[in-house]
Every structure is written in C-alpha cells, then in structure tokens.
Amino acid sequence: MKNDIEKIMFSRAEIAAKIKEMVRNIKEDFKREKTLVMVALLKGSVIFLADLIRQIDMSVEFDFIGTSSYGRSAISKAYVEIYKDLMFEVKGKSVILVDDILDTGKTAKVVMKHLLDKGAKQVKLCVLLDKPSRREVDIKADYAGFEIDDVFVVGYGLDFKDRYRNLPYIAVLKKKYYN
Ligand code: IMP
Ligand code: MG
C-alpha cells in the first residue's frame, strides 16, 4: 500500500496537532452545552471522529449518517441520498456534523438540512479537510482543519474506491493508481 503513495501531505503528527487546535475552538463554542452531540458521515469520517472525540473532555454523544451519491463520478455528485439515518433524536439539540472533507459541499448541505428538518436547534460543520476551489453550493465549515488545493487525497479515513482509509496519514496516490 505504501508503494502506491506519491507523497504524504499531512503526517500523523500534523493531523494530531491540528485536531488539538480544532478541539480548543469547539470546546470554547460549546462550553454551555451539557453534552456535545456529534453526527458523523460514513465512512470517511470515522477515523477523524475517533481521534476528535478522544481529545474532548466533555460528555459526547455520537451517531452516524450514511449517504450515497449518484452522478457523474464518485466525487462529483448530482444527487445525495441518505441510506442510513440517525438512531437518536436531535430535536432541540445543538449538533456538530463531522466529515472528512468538504468538497463540492453537496453532501454536507443535504445532511445539514436533514438535521434541521429533524428539529436540531443548530448545526455546525466540522471537517478535517476543505477544498474551497471545488465548492458548488453555498456552504462554509465552522471548523476546518487544513485547506487544500484541488487534489485527490487518501488516508486517515479517505478512500479511493474504498481503499487506503487505514493509512495513518493523508497522502496523494501515484497517478497510475487512479484508474
Ligand atoms: P461533497 O458532497 O462533494 O462535498 O463530497 C464530499 C465527499 O466526497 C467526502 O465525504 C469524500 O467522501 C469525497 N471526497 C471528496 N474529495 C475527496 C478526496 O480528495 N479524497 C477522497 N474522498 C474525497
Ligand atoms: Mg468517501
């Protein structure tokens, strides 16, 4: 798997330091809440979520939403469908939506609306990576780790055809593997 990597973009240590910084901001904003309610998107955000919540010394509840997309390609979506919904109630709660990367923004837009429709008091968006140059809908992350250019990255939860999620860093694949 390592041989497929062109270069490491963010190391394990860089990611850990960034998460610490993000947690400081989240804790400051949510200090009046009894419990932090996090909703994470399958499957890309699971590793980020696991590291994020273990840095938060507050009461945390989390659940997952799964979306699938239909359209021209895996990362350029025309239509987002929720295939797995929440098991807990978000009515009246402040929720943090967690995802690996904010790309076109379509997924986050649909899911944020879904949570508000379920009665969430407010929904903040927390992403590890942000590709602002790819945005197709009007949306901004409230907490964004690293801003990156329009390059396809893998690792730390992010996949290419469902592989590479378990790399402990974020990397760019060699061109010959993107096919
Ligand atoms: P959006 O709806 O276009 O914002 O889609 C975001 C989703 O696309 C993320 O949750 C990822 O699953 C996927 N995605 C976007 N860019 C990348 C990338 O560079 N590597 C891996 N997955 C990506
Ligand atoms: Mg994905």
Side-chain angles (χ1 to χ4, degrees):
M1 206 169 50
K2 270 191 193 152
N3 295 332
D4 305 359
I5 297 302
E6 173 79 39
K7 71 164 193 211
I8 294 178
M9 191 179 271
F10 301 112
S11 69
R12 238 178 152 143
E14 285 171 317
I15 297 169
K18 182 59 79 178
I19 290 178
K20 248 193 188 148
E21 195 184 307
M22 297 175 85
V23 164
R24 265 201 301 275
N25 294 331
I26 292 171
K27 276 177 58 183
E28 178 56 33
D29 293 352
F30 283 78
K31 64 186 173 201
R32 279 180 201 89
E33 302 286 333
K34 261 202 283 214
T35 302
L36 259 185
V37 179
M38 297 191 147
V39 172
L41 291 176
L42 293 171
K43 298 181 257 184
S45 69
V46 294
I47 297 186
F48 176 41
L49 178 78
D51 281 351
L52 193 65
I53 57 177
R54 285 178 298 171
Q55 291 287 335
I56 299 175
D57 53 352
M58 291 172 62
S59 161
V60 172
E61 277 176 21
F62 66 86
D63 198 357
F64 297 99
I65 284 184
T67 62
S68 44
S69 49
Y70 302 96
R72 286 166 292 142
S73 78
I75 60 160
S76 182
K77 299 155 184 178
Y79 177 67
V80 178
E81 187 189 62
I82 292 171
Y83 70 81
K84 190 238 167 264
D85 207 346
L86 292 177
M87 301 297 283
F88 63 36
E89 280 267 343
V90 289
K91 204 173 185 152
K93 293 180 182 169
S94 292
V95 177
I96 302 178
L97 179 63
V98 179
D99 203 3
D100 49 2
I101 186 165
L102 188 61
D103 189 42
T104 66
K106 289 179 189 170
T107 309
K109 188 99 183 174
V110 166
V111 177
M112 283 175 98
K113 179 175 182 302
H114 178 72
L115 294 169
L116 290 168
D117 288 348
K118 280 177 170 278
K121 189 168 68 185
Q122 62 162 346
V123 183
K124 300 269 190 188
L125 178 61
C126 173
V127 293
L128 182 61
L129 299 170
D130 187 7
K131 280 187 197 172
S133 65
R134 294 256 313 158
R135 207 75 87 243
E136 290 179 25
V137 295
D138 182 27
I139 191 166
K140 268 207 180 94
D142 299 283
Y143 313 99
F146 303 102
E147 204 170 279
I148 63 170
D149 293 334
D150 183 9
V151 285
F152 195 86
V153 289
V154 296
Y156 200 77
L158 292 136
D159 70 303
F160 176 64
K161 295 188 176 169
D162 254 316
R163 291 177 60 209
Y164 306 105
R165 293 191 197 274
N166 56 320
L167 288 173
Y169 42 74
I170 292 166
V172 181
L173 286 180
K174 287 178 185 159
K175 275 210 174 66
K176 65 176 174 182
Y177 291 100
Y178 292 117
N179 55 40

